[in-house]
Amino acid sequence: MARVTAGAGDARCCILYVTEADLVAGNGYRKRLVRVRNSNNLKGIVVVEKTRMSEQYFPALQKFTVLDLGMVLLPVASQMEASCLVIQLVQEQTKEPSKNPLLGKKRALLLSEPSLLRTVQQIPGVGKVKAPLLLQKFPSIQQLSNASIGELEQVVGQAVAQQIHAFFTQPR
């Protein structure tokens, strides 16, 4: 179970990540949830990995977290989706990215939709490694589809750039 804490002064937020393994292993995660809930200066948000394997354990976690502890519970399908969700939460909490310790100095990949990432991964030749790189340079499907081969080559190389360009330009 992972924990991320951010905030300034009294407005601190703690994101607790309950993995599929945590759910299947038993109720060990409950102590940490209670500790965060009982902390006076932390606002807890629970992100849980809800998969086919862990869905039978989800109702008990949901009841405990939401009804018993009164905390926010956000289910995700994978670690990738969880990371996108954390980025969104950070964006919402911070108006000035330079003051946000979770964003660092480099501009983080800001995906508003995990489905956009999955869609770009389905383009022939792209996959899980090249999709985030493409979305950093071309943040929408429209921008990606309008990119020239030269622009695409700068990100993914000549062969993949030609595959992507052909994918968007060939009639179906």
Side-chain angles (χ1 to χ4, degrees):
M1 186 155 121
R3 182 176 91 179
V4 176
T5 307
D10 295 331
R12 290 177 17 136
C13 180
C14 179
I15 300 172
L16 295 158
Y17 183 63
V18 180
T19 66
E20 175 184 72
D22 292 328
L23 283 177
V24 174
N27 294 329
Y29 60 86
R30 288 181 175 222
K31 286 182 183 178
R32 186 167 282 167
L33 295 180
V34 169
R35 211 173 326 146
V36 169
R37 174 64 180 98
N38 290 339
S39 174
N40 292 333
N41 61 345
L42 284 179
K43 176 186 174 191
I45 298 173
V46 180
V47 176
V48 61
E49 201 173 301
K50 184 180 177 190
T51 63
R52 279 186 272 179
M53 181 184 288
S54 66
E55 69 184 347
Q56 63 181 322
Y57 306 101
F58 183 76
L61 170 69
Q62 185 177 34
K63 180 191 176 299
F64 180 71
T65 304
V66 177
L67 298 178
D68 296 345
L69 297 179
M71 296 172 74
V72 175
L73 178 67
L74 303 170
V76 295
S78 65
Q79 290 180 357
M80 176 64 82
E81 195 172 308
S83 65
C84 291
L85 178 64
V86 170
I87 289 170
Q88 287 176 334
L89 291 170
V90 168
Q91 282 181 314
E92 291 298 318
Q93 295 294 319
T94 305
K95 298 296 181 199
E96 297 179 53
S98 62
K99 292 185 179 181
N100 190 324
L102 297 178
L103 288 178
K105 291 185 180 180
K106 289 187 177 180
R107 184 177 170 198
L109 173 60
L110 305 175
L111 296 175
S112 59
E113 290 290 328
S115 60
L116 177 61
L117 179 64
R118 288 192 298 269
T119 300
V120 173
Q121 288 173 351
Q122 299 304 311
I123 298 171
V126 175
K128 291 183 177 182
V129 174
K130 293 178 181 154
L133 298 174
L134 285 165
L135 288 171
Q136 281 181 329
K137 177 92 173 168
F138 311 101
S140 71
I141 292 291
Q142 182 179 5
Q143 289 175 336
L144 182 59
S145 67
N146 291 331
S148 69
I149 293 176
E151 292 172 315
L152 293 167
E153 280 181 11
Q154 294 173 6
V155 180
V156 293
Q158 183 181 12
V160 176
Q162 289 176 349
Q163 283 183 294
I164 295 168
H165 192 264
F167 176 80
F168 286 114
T169 58
Q170 287 180 348
R172 309 232 181 252

